Amino acid sequence: MPAPLNLFDRVLKVLARNYPERLLELAFPGQPFQLLGTPENIELALPEERLDFAHRVQFGEAEYLVHLEFQTRHASDVPRRLFVYSALLTRQSGLPVLTLVFYLARRDRPLPTAYEVRVGEVAVNRFEYPVVRLWEYADQIAAGQWRELAPLLVALQADPPDEATLARERALILQESDSRKRADLLACAVTIGSRYFAREFLWRFFKEEVEMLREASFIEDWLQEKLDEGMEKGLQQGEQRARLTDLRRILSRRFGVLPLSLLERLRGLSAEQLEPLLETALDAATLAEFQAALPPTDLVPSPAPIANR
């Protein structure tokens, strides 16, 4: 299943916005720091160049601008871009800049960690940067140490993702107490999951979390369509349930205990079919007369589940 080019990039930016401390802990293990802020929408003096993410961070007494770059896979222009970004950020912010790259897709070959300008065999200039290989943290994420990165599990594990991987993601995500962040994590999980699973399967798998998803700060178009369909269906079922309840009350008050066969027949009617039967229930002289006014069975849709039958 093809993935949109910005699928992983979008998810990683959401995680970087909601959980900057956790990503910085990965980038600078064991180094105490204080997050001072996150400048928004930093644009460089290059055509249409916007950074993935930058945070103002204090290590000890010194303040830095930490530039996080997210890459699904390595691209040949990454070292040079990072060199240019770092230089422009240094000049623009007036702060020392720390640049590092997070890689998502597994790669056996070593990843470049420097931009070099060479003369022959001699490296005259060299700009170095650390890299974080996210797949190396898959087991720790699954164990709950980095549960904020749970939506990435299906992409990070060496084995093909399965339903058990999704179940582990969901369990970790539901531990998030902040409802908005929890909704964003669920949206991230569904977004990345759509790269590996059929969308209908994902919709069924996360059906219990649908209401939580409505609070997410971003939603894929296909998922928004599903949410809209679900809301419309819910409204229709709510209307049907209300009409059915009113109709049963009228019939029970007028004719006493109703036969189960009639209740089953009514349960299979839509809200539009039940609406005119309210007047019929009030006017019919007998229950048999009311039943005679029911629509033919071949026009009745399959029964929908109704609570409190």
Side-chain angles (χ1 to χ4, degrees):
M1 183 184 300
L5 292 177
N6 65 347
L7 184 152
F8 292 111
D9 183 66
R10 183 183 307 179
V11 166
L12 286 166
K13 287 177 180 177
V14 170
L15 297 179
R17 181 191 66 216
N18 288 346
Y19 305 103
E21 293 91 349
R22 300 300 274 163
L23 290 177
L24 291 171
E25 288 170 11
L26 280 176
F28 305 101
Q31 179 67 50
F33 66 87
Q34 180 182 359
L35 182 67
L36 301 178
T38 302
E40 297 289 340
N41 300 324
I42 298 179
E43 295 185 359
L44 301 178
L46 295 170
E48 299 181 2
E49 291 289 348
R50 179 169 293 179
L51 296 183
D52 280 352
F53 244 93
H55 300 291
R56 290 175 52 242
V57 178
Q58 185 171 320
F59 293 98
E61 299 299 320
E63 182 179 339
Y64 300 83
L65 191 67
V66 178
H67 167 213
L68 307 181
E69 185 73 14
F70 303 123
Q71 292 289 316
T72 304
R73 294 176 177 79
H74 180 68
S76 60
D77 69 331
V78 167
R80 182 179 182 276
R81 278 198 294 111
L82 294 182
F83 164 69
V84 173
Y85 289 174
S86 180
L88 291 173
L89 274 175
T90 300
R91 180 174 182 177
Q92 183 170 310
S93 69
L95 295 171
V97 175
L98 303 175
T99 296
L100 58 146
V101 190
F102 287 78
Y103 282 101
L104 189 71
R106 289 177 174 269
R107 170 176 161 136
D108 294 329
R109 290 178 294 134
L111 285 162
T113 59
Y115 171 69
E116 293 183 336
V117 179
R118 307 178 71 89
V119 176
E121 298 299 319
V122 178
V124 177
N125 297 113
R126 180 178 176 85
F127 167 73
E128 296 188 27
Y129 53 88
V131 299
V132 176
R133 301 166 181 82
L134 285 169
W135 64 87
E136 294 180 350
Y137 297 89
D139 290 342
Q140 295 175 37
I141 295 171
Q145 181 176 348
W146 307 96
R147 63 175 175 79
E148 296 87 351
L149 304 182
L152 304 178
L153 274 178
V154 294
L156 297 179
Q157 293 192 333
D159 299 327
D162 55 16
E163 189 170 338
T165 307
L166 278 180
R168 185 57 186 153
E169 284 190 5
R170 179 171 59 190
L172 291 169
I173 289 170
L174 293 180
Q175 294 178 31
E176 172 58 66
S177 58
D178 184 301
S179 61
R180 184 188 61 79
K181 290 182 179 179
R182 184 171 60 243
D184 278 350
L185 287 175
L186 286 168
C188 288
V190 175
T191 298
I192 293 184
S194 67
R195 171 68 176 84
Y196 303 94
F197 300 94
R199 292 175 175 180
E200 290 299 326
F201 166 78
L202 289 171
W203 180 249
R204 293 193 302 271
F205 186 87
F206 288 101
K207 64 181 180 180
E208 300 297 329
E209 289 73 42
V210 167
E211 290 307 313
M212 299 182 196
L213 277 164
R214 297 189 193 280
E215 296 186 39
S217 62
F218 82 105
I219 290 288
E220 291 291 290
D221 290 342
W222 72 269
L223 183 56
Q224 185 62 59
E225 291 176 5
K226 284 289 188 182
L227 290 173
D228 292 343
E229 289 174 7
M231 181 175 289
E232 180 64 26
K233 184 176 181 180
L235 290 172
Q236 291 173 355
Q237 290 179 342
E239 291 177 2
Q240 190 228 25
R241 190 177 295 114
R243 300 290 185 278
L244 181 59
T245 299
D246 291 342
L247 190 56
R248 287 171 58 183
R249 286 175 177 170
I250 294 172
L251 292 173
S252 297
R253 177 165 294 186
R254 294 201 63 206
F255 305 114
V257 178
L258 303 176
L260 289 176
S261 59
L262 174 60
L263 294 176
E264 287 294 327
R265 183 91 174 272
L266 294 175
R267 190 174 69 86
L269 300 179
S270 67
E272 291 76 12
Q273 291 172 313
L274 290 170
E275 178 69 31
L277 291 177
L278 293 171
E279 292 293 332
T280 305
L282 291 170
D283 298 337
T286 64
L287 186 60
E289 182 179 334
F290 171 80
Q291 289 178 293
L294 295 177
T297 54
D298 59 347
L299 297 180
V300 177
S302 299
I306 298 295
N308 301 322
R309 283 182 52 188

